Amino acid sequence: MKYLILFGWVLLLSCSAAKVAVPGEFEKAATAMKVKGVNGWMINQTLTFGEYETSPVKRGWDFSSVWQASRISFRPEDQILKVFDINTDNRSLKERSKLQFTIENGKEKAAVFALEKLSEKQLVFKNRNPRWGEVAATTNLQYAFSAAIMLVSEKQPEPWQLVMVHKEGRGEMVEEQGYLTNGDVQFTIETLRIGSYTNKKGKEQKVLGGPTFAGYEIRFEDGVVGVVDLLDNQVWMVNDLDPAYKMILAAASSSLLLKQQKDLSSR
């Protein structure tokens, strides 16, 4: 399935200008800003969109570990695998990293400090003949991305917290979701997926492999106030939002663009 999804991505990028279809009413009341600096070298990486620009992003704690051990089982289904000369191992992967940057627009400025942690357990199926390789199935996945955001232009900066989580266990899947809050005001963040796209001939086609990850939608109460489009590298923001809240959303959007783990359901 992972290869099918990957092929769907290649097809999507090569045959169309894929982008998130934002709600009609939101599109009329918002501004789309093209993001520059997302792709390329991560050293001294900076993002710019609209009137917003980040400082060079400082990264650290790029730590990962892998542990794998043979799995012993006497279940009937595992014994059948032995007949086909297939062994199974348990594999545990852990990753963590951090990033830090500031973002400003000439009037407001915010500081961001973020942490990212991933823990994944896999069941690895492997044939004794090395040319057949191996296939890994995720049995448990836990992920958390958190960021502290502060408006440094204020005399008494009010801390905001961005939290994104994704938990996946055997037989169930929970989409990545999160929130952005200062304790009094709270925005919710939801994953966006697209199931179709418009090809070069102007015809709508379905995405091979099912709906694919496209970005994030930021909501306040029942309305959309921001969209992070990862397919077309755009940030949408509603126009009549308070300038301070716009800066907070710009900082949060930058964090979502910069975090290393994106579509975890494809792991």
Side-chain angles (χ1 to χ4, degrees):
M1 177 60 75
K2 180 181 295 186
Y3 299 104
L4 187 61
I5 293 174
L6 178 60
F7 179 73
W9 262 97
V10 173
L11 181 67
L12 195 65
L13 295 176
S14 61
C15 298
S16 66
K19 58 184 65 179
V20 170
V22 299
E25 292 301 318
F26 171 75
E27 184 175 8
K28 295 177 183 178
T31 298
M33 296 169 283
K34 189 69 175 180
V35 183
K36 297 181 180 180
V38 176
N39 303 316
W41 290 98
M42 297 174 63
I43 300 175
N44 293 324
Q45 181 183 19
T46 60
L47 301 185
T48 59
F49 52 94
E51 60 181 355
Y52 301 96
E53 183 175 2
T54 73
S55 65
V57 178
K58 297 180 181 179
R59 297 181 182 271
W61 291 5
D62 285 325
F63 169 82
S64 63
S65 64
V66 179
W67 176 85
Q68 184 168 328
S70 297
R71 177 174 177 267
I72 300 175
S73 174
F74 297 97
R75 296 187 308 169
E77 55 266 38
D78 291 329
Q79 296 307 308
I80 292 176
L81 290 176
K82 295 296 183 183
V83 174
F84 294 97
D85 205 19
I86 297 175
N87 294 326
T88 57
D89 283 356
N90 284 320
R91 178 187 293 164
S92 178
L93 303 93
K94 292 185 179 180
E95 299 179 15
R96 61 179 180 178
S97 61
K98 72 173 182 178
L99 59 89
Q100 184 177 1
F101 63 93
T102 60
I103 182 170
E104 56 185 312
N105 61 359
K107 299 177 182 178
E108 302 280 347
K109 185 177 183 179
V112 181
F113 183 87
L115 298 174
E116 189 170 19
K117 293 183 179 181
L118 170 73
S119 176
E120 181 179 8
K121 292 183 179 179
Q122 299 177 337
L123 182 60
V124 182
F125 299 85
K126 56 183 183 178
N127 192 284
R128 293 184 184 276
N129 190 330
R131 71 173 183 168
W132 295 108
E134 61 182 37
V135 176
T138 297
T139 58
N140 184 270
L141 177 65
Q142 295 187 356
Y143 171 79
F145 177 84
S146 59
I149 303 173
M150 297 187 70
L151 288 172
V152 297
S153 54
E154 294 186 352
K155 293 182 179 180
Q156 293 182 332
E158 189 175 29
W160 286 74
Q161 183 182 33
L162 167 66
V163 175
M164 299 294 295
V165 295
H166 180 294
K167 293 183 178 180
E168 183 177 0
R170 189 187 299 272
E172 64 175 340
M173 179 182 292
V174 179
E175 195 71 88
E176 187 181 9
Q177 57 189 344
Y179 61 84
L180 174 66
T181 183
N182 63 354
D184 297 320
V185 178
Q186 178 165 308
F187 299 91
T188 57
I189 304 174
E190 299 178 2
T191 298
L192 284 175
R193 293 185 177 274
I194 60 171
S196 62
Y197 65 96
T198 303
N199 63 20
K200 294 180 179 180
K201 296 182 179 180
K203 295 183 178 181
E204 186 171 320
Q205 292 185 327
K206 290 186 177 182
V207 176
L208 184 64
T212 189
F213 176 73
Y216 303 94
E217 183 179 76
I218 305 175
R219 305 179 65 91
F220 179 71
E221 295 181 345
D222 294 328
V224 180
V225 295
V227 169
V228 180
D229 180 354
L230 295 179
L231 291 181
D232 199 33
N233 287 338
Q234 289 194 107
V235 171
W236 290 75
M237 202 177 302
V238 77
N239 297 322
D240 61 358
L241 204 61
D242 181 272
Y245 288 160
K246 281 189 174 182
M247 177 55 69
I248 294 298
L249 291 190
S253 298
S254 299
S255 301
L256 295 173
L257 286 160
L258 289 166
K259 73 189 187 80
Q260 295 183 23
Q261 300 294 337
K262 295 297 193 299
D263 184 14
L264 293 172
S265 66
S266 64
R267 292 183 69 92

